[in-house]
Amino acid sequence: MLHSAPATAQQEKKHLFKGGLAGFALALLLALLFILLLAYTGAYDISASKDHSPFVRWAFSTTMRNSVSVRASDIEVPSRFTPEQVAAGARQYKSMCEHCHAGPGVQKQEWVKGMLPQPPHLVEAVTEWEPNEVFWLAKHGVRMSAMPAFGGTHEDTALWEITSFVMRLPGMTAEEYAALGAEPAESSK
Ligand code: HEC
């Protein structure tokens, strides 16, 4: 009799645990079924002419933000960049990034307006990123968006040059932007 009360409580706990487990398995099964239905019936609209629902958009951008932060966290940023490196970065930016991300006094290309997600104006957007994160983004890109990975075609030194230039974009005048890297390339690749 003395032990009966704890035994019942334990049985109750076990019962609850089993019930919880069954509920969890059912929820997983339903989620899987939902994904399969979306994949096979064509019900999901993948067009780039219509944005995701606010929840999916939030989920993607929050995932992207945190994924980059975590992966870039142990990348060491070079302590300083020479004016030549910044100018080399400017040249690369103008040939590989400007048409999507614009620049001081320069608009994005017309066809970029059709992209989803929209490439942000880096002059403003870069203030929310650290240099190690910009380097990581340029090297690895963002899957399922138009942001390419440049790591397969460019050395880290070139990507750091681009990063050093990108970090200087906020506050840069159109004249400074036009002048940077306008002189013929000297070395640096
Ligand atoms: C074909 C278009 C395209 C080109 C070219 C491109 N990007 Fe991007 N970039 C994007 C898109 C789209 C995003 C937004 C990704 C997202 O939000 O999921 C992005 C995001 C970024 C971000 C993060 C900014 C933010 O707040 O979302 C950085 C930094 C960046 N790009 C740097 C670069 C650099 C540096 C280059 C050139 C070496 C470059 N990009 C070339 C399309 C492009």
Side-chain angles (χ1 to χ4, degrees), residues 83 86-88 90-91 94 98 104 106 165 172-186:
V86 179
R91 271 190 295 277
K94 288 173 187 178
E98 181 189 89
V106 179
F165 171 73
M172 194 181 281
T173 65
E175 290 73 30
E176 287 166 336
Y177 180 78
L180 254 170
E183 70 282 3
E186 303 100 45

Side-chain angles (χ1 to χ4, degrees), residues 57 60-61 64-65 92-93 96-101 111-112 115-120 122 125-126 128-129 133-134 137-138 142-148 150 159 162-163 166:
R57 168 61 46 229
F60 277 157
S61 56
M64 180 261 202
R65 170 87 257 172
Q92 306 240 35
Y93 183 87
M96 298 192 304
C97 321
E98 181 189 89
H99 44 279
C100 280
H101 287 295
W111 48 267
V112 172
M115 284 183 189
L116 257 179
Q118 267 291 295
L122 276 193
V126 79
E128 291 174 21
W129 298 92
E133 296 172 333
V134 171
L137 279 159
V142 182
R143 200 181 301 153
M144 300 278 281
S145 90
M147 174 61 200
F150 292 90
L159 298 176
I162 298 172
T163 304
V166 167

Side-chain angles (χ1 to χ4, degrees), residues 4-100:
S4 70
T8 331
Q10 221 171 20
Q11 269 171 358
E12 181 97 326
K13 253 191 200 164
K14 245 188 192 169
H15 190 68
L16 271 180
F17 181 69
K18 271 192 184 163
L21 217 62
F24 184 65
L26 187 70
L28 262 185
L29 196 73
L30 283 178
L32 189 70
L33 210 68
F34 180 67
I35 291 169
L36 285 177
L37 265 177
L38 277 189
Y40 280 105
T41 59
Y44 194 76
D45 184 359
I46 55 92
S47 63
S49 51
K50 212 172 93 197
D51 203 353
H52 293 294
S53 66
F55 173 73
V56 177
R57 168 61 46 229
W58 169 85
F60 277 157
S61 56
T62 309
T63 306
M64 180 261 202
R65 170 87 257 172
N66 291 320
S67 173
V68 175
S69 280
V70 166
R71 281 163 182 77
S73 61
D74 54 3
I75 297 176
E76 234 171 90
V77 182
S79 53
R80 66 180 286 275
F81 296 97
T82 63
E84 291 73 32
Q85 284 175 309
V86 179
R91 271 190 295 277
Q92 306 240 35
Y93 183 87
K94 288 173 187 178
S95 73
M96 298 192 304
C97 321
E98 181 189 89
H99 44 279
C100 280

